Amino acid sequence: MTRPSTVSDTRRGDTATDPPAPGPGTTRQRGRQPRPGRGGVLAVFLAPALALFLLLVVAPILVAGYASLYKWNGFGLPENFVGLDNYTRAFSDPTFRGDLWRGLVLVLLSLAVQLPAALALAMLLNQPLRGRAAYRLIFFAPYVLSEVTTAVLFTLVFSPNRGLGESVSRWLGADAGAVFADPDTVLFAVFLVVSWKYFGLYMMLFLAARQGIPKELSEAAVTDGATAWQAFRHVTLPLLGPTIRISIFLSVIGTIQLFDMVWVLTGGGPIHTSETMAVTMYQYGFRRFEVGYASAISIVMFLLSLVFALFYQRIVLRRDTAGAITNQGGQR
Amino acid sequence: MTATTSRAQRTRSLVLHLICIGVGALIVVPVWFGVIGGFKDNGQLSTNPLGLPDPWVPQNYTDLFASGVFWRQLGNSLLIAVSSTVIVVGAAAMAAFVFARYAFRGREFLVTLFAIGLMFPFAVAILPLFVLLRSMGLLDNPLGVILPQAAFGLPITIIILRQFFRTIPAEVEEAAVLDGCSSFGFFWRVLLPMARPALATVSVLAVVTSWNNFMLPLVVFSDQSWWTLPVGVQAFQGQYADDTARVLAYVVLSMIPALGFYAVAERQLIGGLTGSVKG
């Protein structure tokens, strides 16, 4: 580690190869040890973040990968090596295959309903409209509520006994009188609650992106005779491309990991019809103590996210010059 | 001519308002149902879910205020949110400083590693994390939530701060170094004060994520006295499943801190989310 007295001698890393700056300081410094602790400075500054990250984020993933090859109840050390059995078991289990299918349905619903609605609202709120600051504030507010609070509120809102459940259920066509108890409607109901909480986030992302587009562009198109729709379709929409692509990305990654909302709303039921991968993982890991099998499910979730992210970055995000996920733009 | 355009405009803005009010109602009605539902008894909730209470029953709220459980969970949530935020912002600022302003071997690898960390959610790591925390004796210990919470917040915090730190001109640093500033002195006395807006943004983001986290405190705390608000709300619902009005009151109380924080910190929150996505 670096001693404090040597830290003060280090110069800016970018200019490490530059000649020493002329001036009175140069002569004074010559007497001390030459260029001591640049590496030390780096180590000191990086140590807390790296230690936390490696120990509590990276290591658990690696341990999950290791544990997924064992039949293990989570106590002691895993000893009963079963190879890839946990994985083949997962993929032949109807519940887990259903999880994949339901994840896909939720993603498609989100792409077909939630994101377009958020985009449309963002375009509306971009118009001069009295009170639009208040609308914006309200639309975004659910995002700050926790998923659990939201979910508990909605179980009560949709409660068949004392909520709005009767009327809402009838409107959605559920026979049981409770949208969360009917296998035919439960996934759709979960999707509605998720959208209630998150569409404001996407709206805000689209709105921010829209306001970053110079007005002159769509004005010029309209002056040239384009209709408002044409101007939107051919000028604004392409310029919103990066934000739309990032939103799709966030939506897919979020769906793969959906847990809190489903756990509180339905616990995955009735008869697994709203279960997600994370819920299945939790059931096996923390209720039945089949830690090896649950780890295999974790790893599948991780790989799905990772493969999707890499694929998405290669194919879709490549043309966006900068982005939080890609991190390719603006390198010095 | 001008009369017709202004009339068309007025119709248009009326339609826009109607759409916004419709969507706003979808947001507000469930919350409204909760707030006034907490002032009803269960009989009123069955017969009159949306109307005003008659008579008003403040007892659900006053009981909770008096019980102490709510306050303890509020305190736990606060302790965990503040500590994990201090840790994640401190550690991420130091790392982002190095990533933004030093060129060294392995930098790109480390930056990519943290960026991939965006795809490590709690759900993926929670099982081994639980085993790990158990072997470190951190179950039923607030550190068992604070430290992982901070660790999982590192990727997004580092990415946002790094991008901000890059925008601070190199001349500022040269001037500081000529004036005798060490690296640490520059970081502490020049960079961090200049980065105050970005630090506010990432802090708000970190507070909100920690405040809302459910899975981690759910598995780490089996001792009820450590429960945070989300865990407490869910347990309360289980305990009082038949007493809808009382659960509604609890849900509403647990929403108030989050909404109050949103009212105060809205700008930083939205700036952080939109900024992080635009890059």
Side-chain angles (χ1 to χ4, degrees), chain A:
Chain A
M1 287 291 122
T2 318
R3 282 170 290 124
S5 61
T6 58
V7 170
S8 62
D9 287 352
T10 47
R11 309 221 145 242
R12 215 155 47 82
D14 288 353
T15 56
T17 49
D18 289 356
T26 322
T27 41
R28 238 181 341 109
Q29 280 177 3
R30 197 166 288 152
R32 299 202 202 160
Q33 297 207 325
R35 313 213 63 83
R38 192 178 93 100
V41 174
L42 295 184
V44 168
F45 274 87
L46 278 175
L50 267 183
L52 272 178
F53 192 71
L54 292 179
L55 181 64
L56 295 173
V57 181
V58 177
I61 307 276
L62 298 178
V63 173
Y66 177 73
S68 72
L69 304 176
Y70 289 82
K71 191 166 169 21
W72 184 37
N73 64 5
F75 294 94
L77 289 174
E79 279 166 357
N80 192 355
F81 184 83
V82 294
L84 294 177
D85 280 7
N86 286 323
Y87 292 91
T88 45
R89 176 182 163 192
F91 282 102
S92 54
D93 176 5
T95 304
F96 183 77
R97 283 205 297 224
D99 293 347
L100 295 173
W101 168 246
R102 283 182 287 275
L104 184 65
V105 170
L106 286 173
V107 166
L108 293 179
L109 276 176
S110 166
L111 298 192
V113 180
Q114 192 189 3
L115 295 185
L119 181 61
L121 270 177
M123 295 307 110
L124 282 190
L125 286 186
N126 190 49
Q127 316 264 341
L129 193 67
R130 196 173 302 172
R132 72 176 169 178
Y135 289 133
R136 214 158 46 190
L137 207 64
I138 292 174
F139 293 170
F140 186 68
Y143 178 72
V144 298
L145 300 177
S146 80
E147 295 210 356
V148 172
T149 319
T150 310
V152 172
L153 178 67
F154 272 90
T155 51
L156 301 178
V157 166
F158 286 155
S159 153
N161 305 320
R162 307 201 179 101
L164 310 171
E166 267 305 309
S167 24
V168 177
S169 300
R170 240 177 283 129
W171 178 65
L172 288 174
D175 291 332
V179 280
F180 295 117
D182 185 333
D184 294 333
T185 54
V186 63
L187 197 60
F188 187 58
V190 167
F191 169 74
L192 280 186
V193 182
V194 172
S195 303
W196 185 85
K197 179 164 157 49
Y198 285 106
F199 90 91
L201 168 69
Y202 295 113
M203 186 204 72
M204 206 57 88
L205 299 179
F206 291 141
L207 190 59
R210 177 68 183 85
Q211 287 173 345
I213 299 174
K215 278 196 188 68
E216 293 76 24
L217 290 176
S218 48
E219 276 171 8
V222 173
T223 319
D224 290 348
T227 63
W229 167 251
Q230 284 171 329
F232 171 76
R233 172 72 189 78
H234 296 288
V235 180
T236 311
L237 197 59
L239 289 170
L240 288 176
T243 309
I244 293 173
R245 289 192 279 275
I246 290 277
S247 299
I248 293 172
F249 178 82
L250 291 177
S251 175
V252 173
I253 295 285
T255 307
I256 292 177
Q257 296 143 4
L258 192 62
F259 173 78
D260 298 6
M261 198 74 101
V262 175
W263 184 247
V264 179
L265 280 176
T266 68
I271 42 171
H272 304 300
T273 43
S274 63
E275 200 158 316
T276 59
M277 279 187 283
V279 171
T280 309
M281 182 276 297
Y282 186 86
Q283 291 276 16
Y284 280 100
F286 290 96
R287 292 290 159 96
R288 304 192 201 179
F289 300 105
E290 296 194 34
V291 174
Y293 180 57
S295 298
I297 296 177
S298 304
I299 292 297
V300 173
M301 284 163 62
F302 171 60
L303 289 180
L304 277 179
S305 307
L306 191 68
V307 167
F308 172 74
L310 293 177
F311 166 83
Y312 202 73
Q313 182 180 353
R314 272 286 147 75
I315 310 292
V316 184
L317 295 181
R318 196 176 40 185
R319 50 188 145 160
D320 303 328
T321 48
I325 317 289
T326 61
N327 238 311
Q328 286 172 333
Q331 297 289 0
R332 284 199 174 184

